[in-house]
Amino acid sequence: MMKCFTIFKDKSKSKKRRSAPQLSNHRKSDNLDLRRVSKSTDSYSSPRSIKEMYKEREQNLRDFSLFELREATNNFNRLLKIGEGGFGSVYKGTIMPPNGLGDSMVVAIKKLNTQGLQGHKQWVAEVQILGALDHPNLVKLLGYCALDGERGIQRLLVYEYMPNKSLEDHLFNRAMPTVPWRTRLHIILGAAQGMAYLHEDAEVQQVIYRDFKSSNVLLDKDFNPKLSDFGLAREGPTGGQTHVSTAVSSEMIKLS
């Protein structure tokens, strides 16, 4: 009985030793095939860079002359100034269609402070990013003006006009009417959708906003939120990179 038991036991071990390598090879082959499929899929769906997308869509932006924007703002009249910050000033203006026919359009015109190189870098970043991206919860860039003359450098941006100002105005300015909670939730959801588009859209490289704050959440006539001010935004990591170096430049949105 002992011999029979020993023989049975040895045969069992022998079978396991023979079958194990075959199973292992089969799994390696499967894993290799999966990796090949994964790499093929990744290369096929690899998002394009902001610069590549901008080159395709730059014709959608209007190249304004400085004369046109001076006319639109009554020579940058202080009474038409609707915002101001380290970047420069924003004016409410009225522009005509390129061919001069049709109705005029109310716009917001940002005149950048170009005392340093940083102002120009932020202007370029904003033109390229907003010129490449299109989403209901991102402010729409209509055009720009770039002029290097004897009187200095001029850098301006023209946006759709947001009549309900910013979320910051409604939260902290007591002169503004109180925003109902239903509207606040609508604003929060829209701002989150804008951020999700920047981070997850498969069409372009991930964009890191870097300036998410209540003053940069603008509101249209129906209180739909639009993320604005992309001068500090950067593209996310590409290729084998896992991160990019950025500095925190924002404040938390306060809802109470």
mmCIF file of all heavy atoms in Angstrom, residues 137 164 166-193 212 214 217-220 222-227 253-256:
data_model
loop_
_atom_site.group_PDB
_atom_site.id
_atom_site.type_symbol
_atom_site.label_atom_id
_atom_site.label_comp_id
_atom_site.label_asym_id
_atom_site.label_seq_id
_atom_site.Cartn_x
_atom_site.Cartn_y
_atom_site.Cartn_z
ATOM 1 N N ASN A 137 -18.652 76.019 -21.293
ATOM 2 C CA ASN A 137 -18.266 76.569 -19.998
ATOM 3 C C ASN A 137 -16.875 77.194 -19.993
ATOM 4 O O ASN A 137 -16.269 77.373 -18.938
ATOM 5 C CB ASN A 137 -18.372 75.499 -18.915
ATOM 6 C CG ASN A 137 -19.795 75.031 -18.703
ATOM 7 O OD1 ASN A 137 -20.127 73.877 -18.967
ATOM 8 N ND2 ASN A 137 -20.660 75.931 -18.259
ATOM 9 N N ASN A 164 -23.554 89.405 -16.502
ATOM 10 C CA ASN A 164 -23.742 89.187 -15.064
ATOM 11 C C ASN A 164 -22.434 89.132 -14.285
ATOM 12 O O ASN A 164 -22.372 88.582 -13.179
ATOM 13 C CB ASN A 164 -24.562 87.913 -14.829
ATOM 14 C CG ASN A 164 -26.049 88.175 -14.979
ATOM 15 O OD1 ASN A 164 -26.570 89.172 -14.480
ATOM 16 N ND2 ASN A 164 -26.741 87.302 -15.698
ATOM 17 N N SER A 166 -18.929 88.456 -12.579
ATOM 18 C CA SER A 166 -18.276 87.231 -12.112
ATOM 19 C C SER A 166 -18.976 86.658 -10.887
ATOM 20 O O SER A 166 -19.770 87.333 -10.221
ATOM 21 C CB SER A 166 -16.810 87.508 -11.766
ATOM 22 O OG SER A 166 -16.724 88.270 -10.575
ATOM 23 N N LEU A 167 -18.646 85.421 -10.578
ATOM 24 C CA LEU A 167 -19.186 84.787 -9.374
ATOM 25 C C LEU A 167 -18.736 85.545 -8.132
ATOM 26 O O LEU A 167 -19.500 85.685 -7.171
ATOM 27 C CB LEU A 167 -18.718 83.332 -9.313
ATOM 28 C CG LEU A 167 -19.143 82.521 -8.086
ATOM 29 C CD1 LEU A 167 -20.651 82.469 -7.951
ATOM 30 C CD2 LEU A 167 -18.550 81.115 -8.158
ATOM 31 N N GLU A 168 -17.530 86.053 -8.153
ATOM 32 C CA GLU A 168 -17.013 86.819 -7.017
ATOM 33 C C GLU A 168 -17.903 88.026 -6.718
ATOM 34 O O GLU A 168 -18.193 88.322 -5.549
ATOM 35 C CB GLU A 168 -15.588 87.283 -7.303
ATOM 36 C CG GLU A 168 -14.976 88.090 -6.166
ATOM 37 C CD GLU A 168 -13.609 88.625 -6.512
ATOM 38 O OE1 GLU A 168 -13.485 89.336 -7.536
ATOM 39 O OE2 GLU A 168 -12.656 88.345 -5.766
ATOM 40 N N ASP A 169 -18.345 88.720 -7.758
ATOM 41 C CA ASP A 169 -19.208 89.891 -7.561
ATOM 42 C C ASP A 169 -20.487 89.517 -6.825
ATOM 43 O O ASP A 169 -20.944 90.240 -5.937
ATOM 44 C CB ASP A 169 -19.557 90.522 -8.913
ATOM 45 C CG ASP A 169 -18.354 91.175 -9.577
ATOM 46 O OD1 ASP A 169 -17.603 91.867 -8.875
ATOM 47 O OD2 ASP A 169 -18.156 90.968 -10.785
ATOM 48 N N HIS A 170 -21.063 88.372 -7.178
ATOM 49 C CA HIS A 170 -22.334 87.973 -6.567
ATOM 50 C C HIS A 170 -22.154 87.401 -5.161
ATOM 51 O O HIS A 170 -23.090 87.420 -4.364
ATOM 52 C CB HIS A 170 -23.039 86.951 -7.461
ATOM 53 C CG HIS A 170 -23.577 87.546 -8.726
ATOM 54 N ND1 HIS A 170 -24.822 88.136 -8.807
ATOM 55 C CD2 HIS A 170 -23.023 87.671 -9.959
ATOM 56 C CE1 HIS A 170 -25.021 88.581 -10.041
ATOM 57 N NE2 HIS A 170 -23.947 88.306 -10.754
ATOM 58 N N LEU A 171 -20.965 86.919 -4.856
ATOM 59 C CA LEU A 171 -20.732 86.350 -3.526
ATOM 60 C C LEU A 171 -20.316 87.391 -2.501
ATOM 61 O O LEU A 171 -20.682 87.295 -1.325
ATOM 62 C CB LEU A 171 -19.660 85.258 -3.608
ATOM 63 C CG LEU A 171 -20.020 83.990 -4.388
ATOM 64 C CD1 LEU A 171 -18.837 83.034 -4.404
ATOM 65 C CD2 LEU A 171 -21.241 83.308 -3.787
ATOM 66 N N PHE A 172 -19.563 88.402 -2.930
ATOM 67 C CA PHE A 172 -18.945 89.309 -1.963
ATOM 68 C C PHE A 172 -19.361 90.771 -2.096
ATOM 69 O O PHE A 172 -19.031 91.580 -1.241
ATOM 70 C CB PHE A 172 -17.419 89.204 -2.073
ATOM 71 C CG PHE A 172 -16.911 87.799 -1.905
ATOM 72 C CD1 PHE A 172 -16.281 87.147 -2.952
ATOM 73 C CD2 PHE A 172 -17.081 87.121 -0.709
ATOM 74 C CE1 PHE A 172 -15.816 85.847 -2.806
ATOM 75 C CE2 PHE A 172 -16.621 85.825 -0.553
ATOM 76 C CZ PHE A 172 -15.993 85.179 -1.602
ATOM 77 N N ASN A 173 -20.054 91.117 -3.169
ATOM 78 C CA ASN A 173 -20.504 92.496 -3.346
ATOM 79 C C ASN A 173 -21.952 92.608 -2.859
ATOM 80 O O ASN A 173 -22.875 92.088 -3.492
ATOM 81 C CB ASN A 173 -20.392 92.901 -4.818
ATOM 82 C CG ASN A 173 -20.675 94.374 -5.037
ATOM 83 O OD1 ASN A 173 -21.224 95.056 -4.161
ATOM 84 N ND2 ASN A 173 -20.311 94.875 -6.208
ATOM 85 N N ARG A 174 -22.154 93.295 -1.754
ATOM 86 C CA ARG A 174 -23.494 93.386 -1.163
ATOM 87 C C ARG A 174 -24.457 94.199 -2.014
ATOM 88 O O ARG A 174 -25.676 94.119 -1.823
ATOM 89 C CB ARG A 174 -23.396 93.993 0.237
ATOM 90 C CG ARG A 174 -22.650 93.102 1.227
ATOM 91 C CD ARG A 174 -22.685 93.669 2.626
ATOM 92 N NE ARG A 174 -22.019 92.784 3.571
ATOM 93 C CZ ARG A 174 -21.927 93.022 4.873
ATOM 94 N NH1 ARG A 174 -22.455 94.133 5.388
ATOM 95 N NH2 ARG A 174 -21.302 92.162 5.661
ATOM 96 N N ALA A 175 -23.921 94.963 -2.938
ATOM 97 C CA ALA A 175 -24.790 95.742 -3.822
ATOM 98 C C ALA A 175 -25.453 94.858 -4.877
ATOM 99 O O ALA A 175 -26.451 95.252 -5.485
ATOM 100 C CB ALA A 175 -23.989 96.849 -4.497
ATOM 101 N N MET A 176 -24.909 93.662 -5.084
ATOM 102 C CA MET A 176 -25.470 92.736 -6.068
ATOM 103 C C MET A 176 -26.601 91.931 -5.434
ATOM 104 O O MET A 176 -26.576 91.641 -4.238
ATOM 105 C CB MET A 176 -24.388 91.782 -6.576
ATOM 106 C CG MET A 176 -23.193 92.469 -7.217
ATOM 107 S SD MET A 176 -23.591 93.230 -8.798
ATOM 108 C CE MET A 176 -23.783 91.775 -9.819
ATOM 109 N N PRO A 177 -27.609 91.553 -6.215
ATOM 110 C CA PRO A 177 -28.702 90.731 -5.671
ATOM 111 C C PRO A 177 -28.203 89.352 -5.254
ATOM 112 O O PRO A 177 -27.256 88.812 -5.832
ATOM 113 C CB PRO A 177 -29.688 90.634 -6.839
ATOM 114 C CG PRO A 177 -28.868 90.899 -8.059
ATOM 115 C CD PRO A 177 -27.801 91.866 -7.642
ATOM 116 N N THR A 178 -28.837 88.787 -4.239
ATOM 117 C CA THR A 178 -28.455 87.463 -3.747
ATOM 118 C C THR A 178 -28.767 86.394 -4.787
ATOM 119 O O THR A 178 -29.848 86.385 -5.382
ATOM 120 C CB THR A 178 -29.210 87.135 -2.447
ATOM 121 O OG1 THR A 178 -28.926 88.149 -1.478
ATOM 122 C CG2 THR A 178 -28.784 85.781 -1.896
ATOM 123 N N VAL A 179 -27.821 85.500 -4.988
ATOM 124 C CA VAL A 179 -28.008 84.426 -5.962
ATOM 125 C C VAL A 179 -28.690 83.246 -5.275
ATOM 126 O O VAL A 179 -28.201 82.748 -4.258
ATOM 127 C CB VAL A 179 -26.649 83.972 -6.545
ATOM 128 C CG1 VAL A 179 -26.844 82.828 -7.530
ATOM 129 C CG2 VAL A 179 -25.950 85.136 -7.227
ATOM 130 N N PRO A 180 -29.834 82.774 -5.787
ATOM 131 C CA PRO A 180 -30.521 81.621 -5.178
ATOM 132 C C PRO A 180 -29.628 80.387 -5.185
ATOM 133 O O PRO A 180 -28.749 80.243 -6.037
ATOM 134 C CB PRO A 180 -31.746 81.419 -6.081
ATOM 135 C CG PRO A 180 -31.915 82.707 -6.808
ATOM 136 C CD PRO A 180 -30.557 83.287 -6.961
ATOM 137 N N TRP A 181 -29.881 79.468 -4.259
ATOM 138 C CA TRP A 181 -29.050 78.269 -4.155
ATOM 139 C C TRP A 181 -29.155 77.391 -5.397
ATOM 140 O O TRP A 181 -28.189 76.748 -5.801
ATOM 141 C CB TRP A 181 -29.423 77.474 -2.903
ATOM 142 C CG TRP A 181 -28.713 77.998 -1.694
ATOM 143 C CD1 TRP A 181 -29.229 78.758 -0.695
ATOM 144 C CD2 TRP A 181 -27.322 77.831 -1.384
ATOM 145 N NE1 TRP A 181 -28.261 79.079 0.226
ATOM 146 C CE2 TRP A 181 -27.085 78.520 -0.169
ATOM 147 C CE3 TRP A 181 -26.263 77.178 -2.008
ATOM 148 C CZ2 TRP A 181 -25.824 78.561 0.422
ATOM 149 C CZ3 TRP A 181 -25.005 77.216 -1.418
ATOM 150 C CH2 TRP A 181 -24.800 77.905 -0.212
ATOM 151 N N ARG A 182 -30.311 77.357 -6.015
ATOM 152 C CA ARG A 182 -30.445 76.570 -7.245
ATOM 153 C C ARG A 182 -29.502 77.112 -8.327
ATOM 154 O O ARG A 182 -28.861 76.347 -9.055
ATOM 155 C CB ARG A 182 -31.896 76.606 -7.733
ATOM 156 C CG ARG A 182 -32.137 75.792 -9.009
ATOM 157 C CD ARG A 182 -33.587 75.904 -9.449
ATOM 158 N NE ARG A 182 -34.469 75.240 -8.513
ATOM 159 C CZ ARG A 182 -34.769 73.939 -8.563
ATOM 160 N NH1 ARG A 182 -34.249 73.180 -9.510
ATOM 161 N NH2 ARG A 182 -35.590 73.412 -7.683
ATOM 162 N N THR A 183 -29.417 78.442 -8.412
ATOM 163 C CA THR A 183 -28.516 79.057 -9.388
ATOM 164 C C THR A 183 -27.064 78.805 -9.018
ATOM 165 O O THR A 183 -26.215 78.559 -9.882
ATOM 166 C CB THR A 183 -28.776 80.573 -9.472
ATOM 167 O OG1 THR A 183 -30.156 80.795 -9.795
ATOM 168 C CG2 THR A 183 -27.907 81.218 -10.538
ATOM 169 N N ARG A 184 -26.770 78.827 -7.723
ATOM 170 C CA ARG A 184 -25.396 78.552 -7.279
ATOM 171 C C ARG A 184 -24.976 77.135 -7.666
ATOM 172 O O ARG A 184 -23.849 76.909 -8.122
ATOM 173 C CB ARG A 184 -25.282 78.730 -5.764
ATOM 174 C CG ARG A 184 -25.527 80.153 -5.293
ATOM 175 C CD ARG A 184 -25.175 80.314 -3.832
ATOM 176 N NE ARG A 184 -25.592 81.606 -3.310
ATOM 177 C CZ ARG A 184 -25.104 82.156 -2.209
ATOM 178 N NH1 ARG A 184 -24.185 81.519 -1.506
ATOM 179 N NH2 ARG A 184 -25.535 83.328 -1.797
ATOM 180 N N LEU A 185 -25.881 76.186 -7.488
ATOM 181 C CA LEU A 185 -25.577 74.805 -7.862
ATOM 182 C C LEU A 185 -25.375 74.683 -9.371
ATOM 183 O O LEU A 185 -24.507 73.937 -9.839
ATOM 184 C CB LEU A 185 -26.699 73.876 -7.396
ATOM 185 C CG LEU A 185 -26.826 73.700 -5.878
ATOM 186 C CD1 LEU A 185 -28.070 72.875 -5.543
ATOM 187 C CD2 LEU A 185 -25.586 73.025 -5.305
ATOM 188 N N HIS A 186 -26.174 75.430 -10.123
ATOM 189 C CA HIS A 186 -26.017 75.448 -11.581
ATOM 190 C C HIS A 186 -24.634 75.986 -11.962
ATOM 191 O O HIS A 186 -23.972 75.451 -12.865
ATOM 192 C CB HIS A 186 -27.118 76.320 -12.193
ATOM 193 C CG HIS A 186 -26.957 76.565 -13.662
ATOM 194 N ND1 HIS A 186 -27.170 75.592 -14.616
ATOM 195 C CD2 HIS A 186 -26.585 77.691 -14.342
ATOM 196 C CE1 HIS A 186 -26.942 76.095 -15.824
ATOM 197 N NE2 HIS A 186 -26.588 77.364 -15.684
ATOM 198 N N ILE A 187 -24.190 77.014 -11.260
ATOM 199 C CA ILE A 187 -22.877 77.603 -11.529
ATOM 200 C C ILE A 187 -21.762 76.624 -11.162
ATOM 201 O O ILE A 187 -20.794 76.442 -11.921
ATOM 202 C CB ILE A 187 -22.714 78.924 -10.747
ATOM 203 C CG1 ILE A 187 -23.697 79.979 -11.286
ATOM 204 C CG2 ILE A 187 -21.280 79.439 -10.835
ATOM 205 C CD1 ILE A 187 -23.792 81.229 -10.430
ATOM 206 N N ILE A 188 -21.902 75.969 -10.004
ATOM 207 C CA ILE A 188 -20.892 74.998 -9.569
ATOM 208 C C ILE A 188 -20.761 73.864 -10.579
ATOM 209 O O ILE A 188 -19.652 73.473 -10.971
ATOM 210 C CB ILE A 188 -21.256 74.425 -8.185
ATOM 211 C CG1 ILE A 188 -21.152 75.512 -7.118
ATOM 212 C CG2 ILE A 188 -20.337 73.257 -7.824
ATOM 213 C CD1 ILE A 188 -21.705 75.091 -5.778
ATOM 214 N N LEU A 189 -21.895 73.335 -11.014
ATOM 215 C CA LEU A 189 -21.883 72.220 -11.962
ATOM 216 C C LEU A 189 -21.239 72.635 -13.283
ATOM 217 O O LEU A 189 -20.411 71.911 -13.845
ATOM 218 C CB LEU A 189 -23.310 71.726 -12.204
ATOM 219 C CG LEU A 189 -23.461 70.562 -13.195
ATOM 220 C CD1 LEU A 189 -22.687 69.345 -12.714
ATOM 221 C CD2 LEU A 189 -24.931 70.211 -13.383
ATOM 222 N N GLY A 190 -21.598 73.810 -13.775
ATOM 223 C CA GLY A 190 -21.034 74.277 -15.040
ATOM 224 C C GLY A 190 -19.533 74.505 -14.951
ATOM 225 O O GLY A 190 -18.783 74.152 -15.872
ATOM 226 N N ALA A 191 -19.085 75.094 -13.835
ATOM 227 C CA ALA A 191 -17.646 75.313 -13.656
ATOM 228 C C ALA A 191 -16.904 73.978 -13.591
ATOM 229 O O ALA A 191 -15.818 73.825 -14.161
ATOM 230 C CB ALA A 191 -17.397 76.123 -12.388
ATOM 231 N N ALA A 192 -17.510 72.990 -12.912
ATOM 232 C CA ALA A 192 -16.897 71.662 -12.826
ATOM 233 C C ALA A 192 -16.831 71.001 -14.199
ATOM 234 O O ALA A 192 -15.849 70.321 -14.529
ATOM 235 C CB ALA A 192 -17.688 70.787 -11.854
ATOM 236 N N GLN A 193 -17.855 71.206 -15.013
ATOM 237 C CA GLN A 193 -17.847 70.636 -16.365
ATOM 238 C C GLN A 193 -16.754 71.278 -17.222
ATOM 239 O O GLN A 193 -16.115 70.606 -18.035
ATOM 240 C CB GLN A 193 -19.223 70.823 -17.015
ATOM 241 C CG GLN A 193 -20.298 69.929 -16.407
ATOM 242 C CD GLN A 193 -21.692 70.242 -16.921
ATOM 243 O OE1 GLN A 193 -21.958 71.352 -17.389
ATOM 244 N NE2 GLN A 193 -22.590 69.278 -16.825
ATOM 245 N N PHE A 212 -8.041 78.879 -10.935
ATOM 246 C CA PHE A 212 -9.465 78.657 -10.681
ATOM 247 C C PHE A 212 -9.880 79.421 -9.426
ATOM 248 O O PHE A 212 -9.515 79.061 -8.317
ATOM 249 C CB PHE A 212 -9.723 77.160 -10.508
ATOM 250 C CG PHE A 212 -11.180 76.808 -10.380
ATOM 251 C CD1 PHE A 212 -12.062 77.077 -11.414
ATOM 252 C CD2 PHE A 212 -11.664 76.209 -9.237
ATOM 253 C CE1 PHE A 212 -13.399 76.748 -11.308
ATOM 254 C CE2 PHE A 212 -13.004 75.873 -9.118
ATOM 255 C CZ PHE A 212 -13.878 76.143 -10.152
ATOM 256 N N SER A 214 -13.118 82.498 -7.914
ATOM 257 C CA SER A 214 -14.458 83.029 -8.171
ATOM 258 C C SER A 214 -14.448 84.209 -9.136
ATOM 259 O O SER A 214 -15.389 84.393 -9.908
ATOM 260 C CB SER A 214 -15.125 83.432 -6.854
ATOM 261 O OG SER A 214 -14.326 84.360 -6.143
ATOM 262 N N VAL A 217 -14.678 83.039 -12.782
ATOM 263 C CA VAL A 217 -15.889 82.347 -13.233
ATOM 264 C C VAL A 217 -16.888 83.422 -13.645
ATOM 265 O O VAL A 217 -17.532 84.052 -12.806
ATOM 266 C CB VAL A 217 -16.479 81.450 -12.124
ATOM 267 C CG1 VAL A 217 -17.746 80.751 -12.619
ATOM 268 C CG2 VAL A 217 -15.455 80.424 -11.667
ATOM 269 N N LEU A 218 -16.988 83.670 -14.941
ATOM 270 C CA LEU A 218 -17.872 84.715 -15.457
ATOM 271 C C LEU A 218 -19.258 84.149 -15.742
ATOM 272 O O LEU A 218 -19.413 82.947 -15.994
ATOM 273 C CB LEU A 218 -17.274 85.322 -16.725
ATOM 274 C CG LEU A 218 -15.855 85.886 -16.591
ATOM 275 C CD1 LEU A 218 -15.407 86.520 -17.901
ATOM 276 C CD2 LEU A 218 -15.761 86.891 -15.445
ATOM 277 N N LEU A 219 -20.264 85.029 -15.726
ATOM 278 C CA LEU A 219 -21.660 84.598 -15.853
ATOM 279 C C LEU A 219 -22.348 85.330 -17.000
ATOM 280 O O LEU A 219 -22.324 86.560 -17.062
ATOM 281 C CB LEU A 219 -22.404 84.869 -14.541
ATOM 282 C CG LEU A 219 -21.755 84.270 -13.281
ATOM 283 C CD1 LEU A 219 -22.435 84.800 -12.024
ATOM 284 C CD2 LEU A 219 -21.803 82.750 -13.322
ATOM 285 N N ASP A 220 -22.965 84.564 -17.895
ATOM 286 C CA ASP A 220 -23.672 85.190 -19.010
ATOM 287 C C ASP A 220 -25.063 85.640 -18.567
ATOM 288 O O ASP A 220 -25.398 85.597 -17.375
ATOM 289 C CB ASP A 220 -23.710 84.257 -20.226
ATOM 290 C CG ASP A 220 -24.603 83.031 -20.014
ATOM 291 O OD1 ASP A 220 -25.321 82.952 -18.984
ATOM 292 O OD2 ASP A 220 -24.585 82.134 -20.881
ATOM 293 N N ASP A 222 -27.861 84.280 -18.668
ATOM 294 C CA ASP A 222 -28.653 83.222 -18.031
ATOM 295 C C ASP A 222 -27.922 82.573 -16.860
ATOM 296 O O ASP A 222 -28.295 81.492 -16.403
ATOM 297 C CB ASP A 222 -29.008 82.147 -19.065
ATOM 298 C CG ASP A 222 -29.861 82.697 -20.191
ATOM 299 O OD1 ASP A 222 -30.809 83.457 -19.894
ATOM 300 O OD2 ASP A 222 -29.572 82.392 -21.365
ATOM 301 N N PHE A 223 -26.870 83.220 -16.383
ATOM 302 C CA PHE A 223 -26.048 82.729 -15.276
ATOM 303 C C PHE A 223 -25.351 81.405 -15.596
ATOM 304 O O PHE A 223 -25.062 80.616 -14.703
ATOM 305 C CB PHE A 223 -26.875 82.604 -13.986
ATOM 306 C CG PHE A 223 -27.113 83.923 -13.304
ATOM 307 C CD1 PHE A 223 -28.210 84.707 -13.640
ATOM 308 C CD2 PHE A 223 -26.232 84.403 -12.345
ATOM 309 C CE1 PHE A 223 -28.425 85.932 -13.029
ATOM 310 C CE2 PHE A 223 -26.434 85.626 -11.731
ATOM 311 C CZ PHE A 223 -27.535 86.395 -12.069
ATOM 312 N N ASN A 224 -25.082 81.181 -16.872
ATOM 313 C CA ASN A 224 -24.242 80.046 -17.239
ATOM 314 C C ASN A 224 -22.790 80.432 -16.983
ATOM 315 O O ASN A 224 -22.341 81.492 -17.438
ATOM 316 C CB ASN A 224 -24.426 79.693 -18.717
ATOM 317 C CG ASN A 224 -25.821 79.180 -19.001
ATOM 318 O OD1 ASN A 224 -26.329 78.307 -18.306
ATOM 319 N ND2 ASN A 224 -26.459 79.731 -20.027
ATOM 320 N N PRO A 225 -22.031 79.601 -16.258
ATOM 321 C CA PRO A 225 -20.654 79.966 -15.911
ATOM 322 C C PRO A 225 -19.679 79.706 -17.051
ATOM 323 O O PRO A 225 -19.823 78.750 -17.811
ATOM 324 C CB PRO A 225 -20.351 79.047 -14.723
ATOM 325 C CG PRO A 225 -21.180 77.834 -14.983
ATOM 326 C CD PRO A 225 -22.439 78.322 -15.644
ATOM 327 N N LYS A 226 -18.687 80.586 -17.153
ATOM 328 C CA LYS A 226 -17.642 80.462 -18.169
ATOM 329 C C LYS A 226 -16.288 80.699 -17.496
ATOM 330 O O LYS A 226 -16.057 81.767 -16.925
ATOM 331 C CB LYS A 226 -17.831 81.501 -19.274
ATOM 332 C CG LYS A 226 -19.258 81.606 -19.814
ATOM 333 C CD LYS A 226 -19.439 80.810 -21.058
ATOM 334 C CE LYS A 226 -20.803 81.056 -21.689
ATOM 335 N NZ LYS A 226 -20.968 80.387 -22.983
ATOM 336 N N LEU A 227 -15.410 79.721 -17.562
ATOM 337 C CA LEU A 227 -14.064 79.903 -17.026
ATOM 338 C C LEU A 227 -13.298 80.872 -17.913
ATOM 339 O O LEU A 227 -13.375 80.800 -19.141
ATOM 340 C CB LEU A 227 -13.328 78.562 -16.964
ATOM 341 C CG LEU A 227 -13.984 77.451 -16.142
ATOM 342 C CD1 LEU A 227 -13.085 76.219 -16.114
ATOM 343 C CD2 LEU A 227 -14.293 77.918 -14.729
ATOM 344 N N ILE A 253 -13.115 78.816 -4.129
ATOM 345 C CA ILE A 253 -14.402 79.479 -4.323
ATOM 346 C C ILE A 253 -15.215 79.342 -3.043
ATOM 347 O O ILE A 253 -15.411 78.244 -2.535
ATOM 348 C CB ILE A 253 -15.176 78.859 -5.500
ATOM 349 C CG1 ILE A 253 -14.485 79.220 -6.806
ATOM 350 C CG2 ILE A 253 -16.611 79.338 -5.524
ATOM 351 C CD1 ILE A 253 -15.203 78.725 -8.024
ATOM 352 N N LYS A 254 -15.663 80.437 -2.513
ATOM 353 C CA LYS A 254 -16.445 80.437 -1.285
ATOM 354 C C LYS A 254 -17.909 80.646 -1.637
ATOM 355 O O LYS A 254 -18.248 81.550 -2.391
ATOM 356 C CB LYS A 254 -15.957 81.554 -0.356
ATOM 357 C CG LYS A 254 -16.614 81.545 1.007
ATOM 358 C CD LYS A 254 -16.012 82.628 1.884
ATOM 359 C CE LYS A 254 -16.668 82.653 3.255
ATOM 360 N NZ LYS A 254 -16.129 83.715 4.115
ATOM 361 N N LEU A 255 -18.777 79.821 -1.077
ATOM 362 C CA LEU A 255 -20.186 79.870 -1.454
ATOM 363 C C LEU A 255 -21.096 80.320 -0.315
ATOM 364 O O LEU A 255 -22.300 80.180 -0.384
ATOM 365 C CB LEU A 255 -20.637 78.489 -1.944
ATOM 366 C CG LEU A 255 -19.952 78.022 -3.230
ATOM 367 C CD1 LEU A 255 -20.374 76.605 -3.550
ATOM 368 C CD2 LEU A 255 -20.303 78.937 -4.382
ATOM 369 N N SER A 256 -20.538 80.829 0.725
ATOM 370 C CA SER A 256 -21.389 81.264 1.835
ATOM 371 C C SER A 256 -21.076 82.701 2.215
ATOM 372 O O SER A 256 -20.103 83.269 1.767
ATOM 373 C CB SER A 256 -21.180 80.346 3.029
ATOM 374 O OG SER A 256 -19.833 80.374 3.444
#
